[in-house]
């Protein structure tokens, strides 16, 4: 009692076609070859979770993940590349109950990332060690959360981030909340070394964010409104103009946006009436490059989703409408679109469930990136078993 040991093993194989082209020496594109990604993924983890005494709980995790990808066009050996990425993680987290209403979290984490590719000039590797301290406390109608984190990265050195959150229960149904924090994101290996795209001088992102929100909940109904503002220095993005890239880059490159601002409002809510539940989210976003005043690419100013589900006996039927407005990308504007997904679940027996999904029912054209076609209508059928274990 009070102790749990877990072992997780997973493996997956994915073969998927994608849009691309083979270019002649004069850069004339030939999109006719069959481009494929063949991805094999394996992951293993061992974890222990134990309550050592009335005040001290601890968790230990050891994990390894490996992605092996072969990507390219059939019959064009020069276009095929292999990518092998490995991640090893070890973490130790402790939660100390200071009082019934206050607790302290202390965590140590080590992450090692390695990547090998026939497309890279050399193998790449980096290690990150982190120390995390967190505090949460409840004081009557007030709740407080404070977190600080120190990362020691083998490439970027020491980085400190943190956040401070507070909420106030105004009434039984109403809660006011506020949150402020800082963030750090290192560039991916592709941002740094992928041929004809990565730039080794791309710097990591540093951000400052704040949000203010109001929540309402009564019975099976819930509403929330959040106003947010994020300031990001060296936002990692895509430079479409080859003239702004290193010599020899023909199709653009990774780059930093010196100062970016992302601010907006999000509304979401849900309500249940017996077997029927309806929910939705609305988001308004203003994402701009502060140096030029231009909108950031591929970020929609408006986005919305509405979902509904109905449960009767062993059956659950559901649908979701997802809509995105126009957004800029390179020299054009990507058109807005709306898609509808349908789902059905049947509990065939205790612990067993058959699931069916039909995504993008109307087969709408979706262009997530200029010049690339998104997925059309998709059908999924699955069988799920969930038991209590031994």
């Amino acid at each position: 009692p009070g102790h749990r040991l877990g072992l997780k093993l997973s493996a997956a194989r994915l073969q998927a076609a994608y849009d691309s082209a083979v270019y002649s020496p004069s850069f004339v594109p030939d999109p006719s070859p069959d481009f494929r990604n063949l991805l094999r993924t394996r992951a293993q983890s061992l974890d222990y979770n134990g309550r050592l005494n009335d005040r001290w709980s601890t968790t230990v995790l050891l994990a390894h993940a490996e992605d092996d990808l072969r990507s390219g066009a059939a019959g064009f050996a020069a276009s095929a590349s292999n990518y092998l990425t490995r991640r090893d993680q070890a973490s130790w987290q402790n939660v100390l109950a200071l009082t019934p209403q206050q607790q302290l979290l202390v965590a140590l984490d080590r992450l090692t990332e390695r990547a090998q590719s026939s497309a890279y000039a050399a193998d790449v590797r980096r290690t990150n060690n982190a120390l995390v301290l967190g505090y949460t406390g409840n004081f009557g109608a007030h709740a407080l959360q404070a977190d600080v984190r120190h990362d020691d990265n083998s490439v970027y050195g020491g980085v400190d981030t943190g956040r401070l959150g507070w909420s106030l229960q105004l009434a039984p149904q109403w809660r006011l909340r506020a949150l402020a924090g800082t963030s750090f994101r290192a560039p991916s290996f592709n941002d740094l070394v992928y041929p004809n795209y990565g730039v080794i001088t791309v710097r990591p992102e540093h951000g400052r964010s704040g949000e203010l929100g109001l929540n309402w909940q009564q019975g099976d109904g819930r509403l929330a409104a959040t106003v947010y503002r994020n300031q990001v220095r060296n936002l990692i993005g895509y430079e479409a103009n080859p003239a702004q890239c290193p010599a020899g880059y023909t199709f653009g490159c990774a780059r930093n946006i010196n100062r970016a601002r992302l601010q907006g409002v999000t509304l979401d809510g849900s309500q249940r009436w017996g077997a029927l539940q309806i929910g939705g989210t609305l988001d308004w976003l203003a994402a701009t490059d502060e140096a030029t005043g231009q909108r950031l690419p591929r970020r929609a100013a408006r986005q919305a989703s509405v979902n509904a589900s109905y449960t009767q006996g062993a059956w659950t039927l559901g649908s979701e409408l997802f809509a995105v407005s126009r957004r800029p990308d390179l020299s054009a504007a990507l058109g807005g679109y709306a898609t509808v997904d349908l789902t059905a679940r049947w509990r065939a027996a205790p612990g067993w469930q058959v699931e069916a999904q039909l995504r993008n029912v109307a087969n709408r054209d979706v262009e997530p990136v200029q010049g690339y076609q998104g997925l059309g209508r998709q059908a999924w059928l699955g069988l799920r078993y969930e038991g209590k274990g031994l």
Side-chain angles (χ1 to χ4, degrees), residues 260-327:
R261 181 178 68 246
L262 301 95
Q263 59 186 16
V265 178
T266 299
L267 304 177
D268 70 272
S270 65
Q271 177 67 55
R272 177 182 291 277
W273 294 277
L276 176 66
Q277 178 167 320
I278 296 177
T281 300
L282 296 173
D283 190 72
W284 292 268
L285 171 66
T288 56
D289 183 337
E290 292 192 316
T292 64
Q294 295 181 342
R295 289 175 57 190
L296 296 179
R298 304 173 186 171
R299 289 172 170 84
R302 296 176 302 279
Q303 187 169 294
S305 67
V306 179
N307 60 79
S309 65
Y310 181 81
T311 301
Q312 185 67 45
W315 286 90
T316 298
L317 304 177
S319 64
E320 181 177 24
L321 169 67
F322 180 71
V324 176
S325 67
R326 290 166 60 88
R327 56 246 181 258

Side-chain angles (χ1 to χ4, degrees), residues 48-129:
Y48 163 75
N49 190 305
R51 185 173 182 83
L52 304 183
N53 55 47
D54 292 341
R55 292 180 175 267
W56 181 14
S57 298
T58 189
T59 301
V60 179
L61 171 69
L62 299 174
H64 171 81
E66 186 174 295
D67 294 337
D68 188 355
L69 171 67
R70 180 174 176 80
S71 179
F76 288 81
S79 73
S81 299
N82 289 82
Y83 303 87
L84 180 61
T85 305
R86 296 184 177 96
R87 291 166 56 93
D88 292 288
Q89 182 181 11
S91 64
W92 181 29
Q93 178 175 296
N94 297 274
V95 176
L96 305 173
L98 305 178
T99 70
Q101 299 298 322
Q102 301 179 69
Q103 70 176 24
L104 179 68
L105 179 144
V106 182
L108 297 172
D109 183 84
R110 179 180 176 85
L111 176 66
T112 300
E113 299 173 292
R114 294 166 289 167
Q116 302 170 252
S117 174
S118 57
Y120 292 171
D123 297 346
V124 285
R125 173 191 173 104
R126 64 188 176 200
T127 300
N128 193 90
N129 297 312

Side-chain angles (χ1 to χ4, degrees), residues 51-365:
R51 185 173 182 83
L52 304 183
N53 55 47
D54 292 341
R55 292 180 175 267
W56 181 14
S57 298
T58 189
T59 301
V60 179
L61 171 69
L62 299 174
H64 171 81
E66 186 174 295
D67 294 337
D68 188 355
L69 171 67
R70 180 174 176 80
S71 179
F76 288 81
S79 73
S81 299
N82 289 82
Y83 303 87
L84 180 61
T85 305
R86 296 184 177 96
R87 291 166 56 93
D88 292 288
Q89 182 181 11
S91 64
W92 181 29
Q93 178 175 296
N94 297 274
V95 176
L96 305 173
L98 305 178
T99 70
Q101 299 298 322
Q102 301 179 69
Q103 70 176 24
L104 179 68
L105 179 144
V106 182
L108 297 172
D109 183 84
R110 179 180 176 85
L111 176 66
T112 300
E113 299 173 292
R114 294 166 289 167
Q116 302 170 252
S117 174
S118 57
Y120 292 171
D123 297 346
V124 285
R125 173 191 173 104
R126 64 188 176 200
T127 300
N128 193 90
N129 297 312
L131 169 65
V132 182
L133 298 176
Y135 169 83
T136 56
N138 293 293
F139 306 91
H142 298 266
L144 182 67
Q145 177 180 347
D147 302 295
V148 293
R149 177 184 176 107
H150 175 77
D151 288 271
D152 184 10
N153 192 282
S154 59
V155 177
Y156 302 106
V159 180
D160 295 310
T161 53
R163 63 180 177 179
L164 181 64
W166 164 84
S167 69
L168 172 63
Q169 193 75 41
L170 300 171
Q173 298 86 14
W174 295 93
R175 177 172 287 273
L176 178 68
R177 51 187 166 79
L179 181 68
T182 59
S183 62
F184 170 86
R185 185 172 80 92
S188 69
F189 290 140
N190 281 348
D191 293 328
L192 297 171
V193 297
Y194 189 83
N196 299 316
Y197 173 77
V199 179
I200 197 64
T201 56
V202 168
R203 300 180 296 277
E205 295 178 5
H206 294 266
R208 291 181 291 112
S209 64
E211 68 177 52
L212 184 66
L214 184 64
N215 286 38
W216 174 86
Q217 183 167 353
Q218 184 172 12
D220 293 327
R222 178 187 62 83
L223 291 172
T226 303
V227 180
Y228 60 89
R229 180 185 176 98
N230 300 331
Q231 300 281 151
V232 184
R233 177 164 48 92
N234 294 326
L235 179 72
I236 301 171
Y238 172 63
E239 175 56 66
N241 184 2
Q244 302 297 322
C245 300
Y249 284 56
T250 308
F251 306 105
C253 62
R255 76 167 179 117
N256 290 112
I257 300 171
N258 288 336
R259 302 190 71 85
R261 181 178 68 246
L262 301 95
Q263 59 186 16
V265 178
T266 299
L267 304 177
D268 70 272
S270 65
Q271 177 67 55
R272 177 182 291 277
W273 294 277
L276 176 66
Q277 178 167 320
I278 296 177
T281 300
L282 296 173
D283 190 72
W284 292 268
L285 171 66
T288 56
D289 183 337
E290 292 192 316
T292 64
Q294 295 181 342
R295 289 175 57 190
L296 296 179
R298 304 173 186 171
R299 289 172 170 84
R302 296 176 302 279
Q303 187 169 294
S305 67
V306 179
N307 60 79
S309 65
Y310 181 81
T311 301
Q312 185 67 45
W315 286 90
T316 298
L317 304 177
S319 64
E320 181 177 24
L321 169 67
F322 180 71
V324 176
S325 67
R326 290 166 60 88
R327 56 246 181 258
D329 190 14
L330 307 183
S331 59
L334 301 176
Y337 64 89
T339 60
V340 175
D341 299 339
L342 301 177
T343 61
R345 299 183 181 90
W346 174 49
R347 294 194 304 275
W352 290 92
Q353 184 170 274
V354 180
E355 303 175 338
Q357 299 183 42
L358 186 60
R359 302 179 184 176
N360 194 1
V361 174
N363 199 28
R364 293 294 305 273
D365 287 335

